[in-house]
């Protein structure tokens, strides 16, 4: 597959904006995708990620801002001259054309010669694992195979940038997981810059080099998966990626201390965070950092709250325990199943965590 | 147990009989024309006494009938072509929402609803001072207005069944809008266009009312010639002509409907 090794493009969005009447769909989004990077736009539906993708592809005209590919502005370039590959959620294969004709379409537009078209199509069909299907029509293929054709069609002309809009959204779970691994392999083989839209956090974690979390038309945070999980900057980012306990707190008397709102207990938090206001503060603790202990057996220096076991859910090797601290205030704990075999719903326990494992977040 | 087995004797025996009776009631008058065209004598007595094919020979050799048939075919083909091109373009243009789009749709579909006589009078009054009455372009213009709604309806339906992502997909692969249309959209809606064209052809080919206003002694369409002949003299040649038209239009319409039904099923 040496011929596919190309230079992935650098994509830069600068205060990109899209308004539909009064509604702001994309609100001054700025980001940079590095050459050859797998960047995922992750967010709930209506958060502006697909509109952003459509503006990059040229299907939607921006209301403001700039889009640059390798430093060249492309907002005014019509979609058919952008040389950007696009994979659609529902494949959008041409139903009246065979697999070969679908994949060869872009090469015909570029006036490639017959022998070259044939060799490039068979090469890309091999890459996506569809050798021998060239003569089939799309309707004769399964959903997974159709999506492979769509991918082959979008990369056969060696675009420096490939956009994908929830390409695995219409497939069942097992097939989706299999195709995720293939997408990763193909991404590594072709060296194209991938920009990938999804609302599935697991998919984002498996595939991406970096993830941009979208919320209400803005980017909440753009980081590697690891940084996003361990150091989210907003409660939204914390909630969207992974499970989280977000404890509503207010600023304490001293730095490194906060007061649990509604409960009045003072707990300790990392003192490194500078807090500008004391409205809307949350303390984030991931469920796997919280421990259950009986009575006063919590390690020294740990925060400790008393509560009642409300629910125990077995997840194979792990179990998730919900502990009610106060009405409407539940702390979720993840621990090895079997650590406390006799634990039952209704039992009074303590939840404890090290202040170093918590993060103080501003915002809602 | 199938549905048919569960029905009582009334439904099982009476319904088919009733259906056959109504179908016969509707079609029989048309079908009497066929035996009449083979009558031996110059009369419209039914059933005919004696058989011959002389009226078909008459039809082929009589210049008036041939001329009318030729005019009808030329007008119908040109009108169908015009209606198909314009109707397809209208359907494509009206995919996008714009101010006054619904009003425009109603306007273009009006010939299906407005009484033909009214349209005929309107066309006649406009064509008379313009010198279009009785001319070939006049017939073609008038008939293409009547055929356009059929094309608009079938092509709009065809476009609606099209995946809206196909055009963006073609663009992302490097096809300009024009090329995307000819390589992707047009082949996919071609069956709808063809069906619309058949209906537009029919709308012109068996049109009488507008044509009566537009005819001149030298330029007549076949349906008008039939009407004139029946009211003027007793000549079973008219039955032969009617039989030819009936068979021709039945075959064409059946082919169109079968193609349409196939397509509808294929889309399910």
């Amino acid at each position: 597959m040496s011929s596919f090794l190309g230079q992935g493009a650098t994509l830069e969005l600068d205060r990109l904006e899209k308004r539909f009447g009064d509604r702001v769909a994309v609100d001054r989004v700025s980001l940079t995708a590095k050459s050859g990077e797998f960047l995922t736009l992750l967010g709930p539906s209506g958060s502006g990620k697909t509109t952003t993708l459509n503006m990059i592809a040229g299907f939607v005209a921006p209301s403001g801002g700039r889009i640059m590919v390798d430093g060249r502005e492309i907002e005014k370039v019509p979609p058919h001259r952008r040389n950007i590959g696009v994979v659609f959620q529902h494949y959008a294969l041409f139903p009246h054309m065979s697999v070969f004709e679908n994949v060869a379409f872009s090469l015909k537009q570029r006036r490639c010669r017959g022998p070259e078209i044939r060799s490039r199509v068979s090469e890309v069909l091999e890459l996506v694992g569809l050798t021998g299907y060239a003569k089939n029509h799309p309707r004769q293929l399964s959903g997974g195979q159709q999506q492979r054709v769509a991918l082959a069609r979008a990369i056969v002309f060696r675009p420096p940038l490939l956009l994908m809009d929830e390409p695995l959204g219409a497939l069942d779970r097992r097939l989706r997981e299999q195709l995720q691994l293939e997408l990763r392999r193909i991404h590594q083989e072709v060296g194209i810059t991938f920009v990938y839209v999804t609302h599935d956090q697991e998919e984002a974690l498996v595939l991406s080099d970096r993830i941009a979390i979208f919320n209400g038309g803005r980017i909440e945070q753009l980081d590697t998966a690891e940084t996003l999980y361990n150091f989210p900057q907003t409660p939204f980012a914390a909630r969207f990626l992974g499970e989280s306990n977000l404890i509503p707190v207010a600023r304490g008397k001293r730095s490194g201390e906060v007061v649990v709102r509604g409960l009045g207990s003072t707990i300790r938090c990392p003192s490194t965070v500078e807090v500008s206001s004391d409205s809307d503060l949350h303390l984030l603790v991931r469920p796997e950092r919280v421990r259950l202990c009986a009575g006063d057996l919590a390690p020294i220096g740990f925060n400790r709250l008393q509560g009642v076991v409300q629910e125990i859910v077995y997840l194979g090797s792990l179990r998730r325990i919900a502990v009610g601290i106060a009405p409407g205030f539940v702390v979720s704990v993840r621990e090895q199943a079997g650590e406390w075999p006799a634990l039952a719903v209704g039992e009074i326990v303590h939840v404890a965590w090290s202040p170093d494992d918590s993060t103080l977040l501003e915002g809602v | 147990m199938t549905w048919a087995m569960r029905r009582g004797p009334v439904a099982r025996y009476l319904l088919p009989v009733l259906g056959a009776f109504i179908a016969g009631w509707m079609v029989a008058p048309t079908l009497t024309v066929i035996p009449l065209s083979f009558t031996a004598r110059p009369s419209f007595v039914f059933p005919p006494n004696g058989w011959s094919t002389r009226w078909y020979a008459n039809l082929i050799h009589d210049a008036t009938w041939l001329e009318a048939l030729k005019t009808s075919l030329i007008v119908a083909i040109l009108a169908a072509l015009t209606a198909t091109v314009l109707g397809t373009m209208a359907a494509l243009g009206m995919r996008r929402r714009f101010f006054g789009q619904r009003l425009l749709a109603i306007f273009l579909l009006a010939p299906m609803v407005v009484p033909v006589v009214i349209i005929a009078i309107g066309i006649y009054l406009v064509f008379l001072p313009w010198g279009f009455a009785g001319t070939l372009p006049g017939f073609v213009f008038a008939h293409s207005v009547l055929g356009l709604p059929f094309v608009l309806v079938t092509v709009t339906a065809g476009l609606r069944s099209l995946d809206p992502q196909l055009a963006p997909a073609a663009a992302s692969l490097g096809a300009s809008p024009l090329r995307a249309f000819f390589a992707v959209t047009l082949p996919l809606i071609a069956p709808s266009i063809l069906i619309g064209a058949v209906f537009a052809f029919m709308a012109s080919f068996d049109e009488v009312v507008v044509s009566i206003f537009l005819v001149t002694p030298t330029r007549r369409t076949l349906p008008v010639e039939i009407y004139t002949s029946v009211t003027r003299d007793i000549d079973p040649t008219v039955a032969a002509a009617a039989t030819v038209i009936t068979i021709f239009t039945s075959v064409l319409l059946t082919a169109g409907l079968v193609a349409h039904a196939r397509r509808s099923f294929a889309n399910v």
Side-chain angles (χ1 to χ4, degrees), chain A residues 16-283:
Chain A
L16 193 61
E17 200 173 316
K18 181 64 194 178
R19 289 182 300 266
F20 294 105
D22 287 343
R23 199 171 70 80
V24 181
V26 175
D27 189 4
R28 285 160 292 164
V29 162
S30 299
L31 63 81
T32 305
K34 295 171 216 156
S35 166
E37 187 174 29
F38 198 126
L39 179 73
T40 295
L41 313 185
L42 175 68
S45 57
S47 60
K49 54 195 194 307
T50 295
T51 308
T52 302
L53 201 77
N54 283 335
M55 286 193 279
I56 302 170
F59 305 146
V60 169
S63 310
R66 294 186 302 163
I67 305 166
M68 279 159 295
V69 174
D70 285 333
R72 197 168 60 93
E73 277 189 45
I74 61 162
E75 313 90 70
K76 298 278 191 292
V77 180
H80 66 277
R81 295 221 189 89
R82 289 199 182 185
N83 203 33
I84 295 174
V86 184
V87 177
F88 297 84
Q89 183 175 4
H90 298 291
Y91 326 132
L93 297 175
F94 305 131
H96 59 302
M97 296 184 194
S98 67
V99 168
F100 179 90
E101 289 167 320
N102 264 283
V103 177
F105 187 84
S106 61
L107 302 176
K108 291 212 175 105
Q109 303 306 317
R110 287 163 175 78
R111 306 198 185 284
C112 291
R113 289 185 308 113
E116 195 194 346
I117 291 178
R118 276 191 293 279
S119 80
R120 277 167 76 165
V121 170
S122 70
E123 187 183 30
V124 77
L125 286 181
E126 193 190 326
L127 180 71
V128 299
L130 280 180
T131 306
Y133 287 90
K135 288 199 178 78
N136 288 66
H137 272 258
R139 62 176 174 278
Q140 300 168 314
L141 303 178
S142 69
Q145 289 170 329
Q146 291 188 37
Q147 196 52 286
R148 286 161 202 252
V149 177
L151 178 64
R153 185 179 69 169
I155 60 176
V156 72
F157 59 100
R158 295 165 196 167
L161 178 62
L162 180 70
L163 310 176
M164 284 184 268
D165 185 8
E166 310 235 7
L168 310 181
L171 304 173
D172 65 59
R173 190 183 174 84
R174 184 175 292 180
L175 196 57
R176 211 157 61 211
E177 283 170 2
Q178 187 195 334
L179 279 171
Q180 283 168 11
L181 296 177
E182 283 194 42
L183 268 180
R184 257 176 65 145
R185 170 182 65 82
I186 289 167
H187 172 248
Q188 280 158 9
E189 278 188 38
V190 298
I192 297 173
T193 307
F194 279 32
V195 178
Y196 191 95
V197 161
T198 183
H199 64 268
D200 182 339
Q201 50 149 312
E202 247 176 81
E203 199 166 290
L205 290 174
V206 171
L207 291 172
S208 325
D209 293 320
R210 287 192 304 155
I211 300 168
I213 295 186
F214 270 67
N215 181 30
R218 292 163 175 270
I219 294 181
E220 290 265 334
Q221 193 173 352
L222 200 173
D223 259 312
T224 62
E226 211 181 332
T227 311
L228 277 173
Y229 189 80
N230 291 322
F231 306 103
Q233 282 162 9
T234 64
F236 182 88
R239 267 192 295 259
F240 208 79
L241 211 65
E243 266 189 276
S244 56
N245 290 303
L246 283 163
I247 305 167
V249 295
R251 193 152 61 157
K253 293 189 191 75
R254 282 174 290 179
S255 126
E257 264 182 16
V258 286
V259 180
V260 180
R261 266 186 280 160
L263 205 64
S265 343
T266 299
I267 51 177
R268 301 201 302 145
C269 67
S271 53
T272 48
V273 184
E274 278 303 315
V275 178
S276 52
S277 73
D278 53 8
S279 62
D280 289 333
L281 282 180
H282 284 90
L283 192 69

Side-chain angles (χ1 to χ4, degrees), chain B residues 208-251:
Chain B
V208 196
V209 184
V210 176
S211 304
I212 282 180
F213 280 82
L214 295 181
V215 287
T216 62
T218 52
R219 184 172 274 116
R220 289 202 177 130
T221 62
L222 196 53
V224 173
E225 186 56 42
I226 289 172
Y227 173 74
T228 331
S229 164
V230 166
T231 50
R232 194 180 52 207
D233 43 37
I234 299 171
D235 177 2
T237 308
V238 77
T243 303
V244 169
I245 294 188
T246 305
I247 290 169
F248 177 63
T249 55
S250 301
V251 167

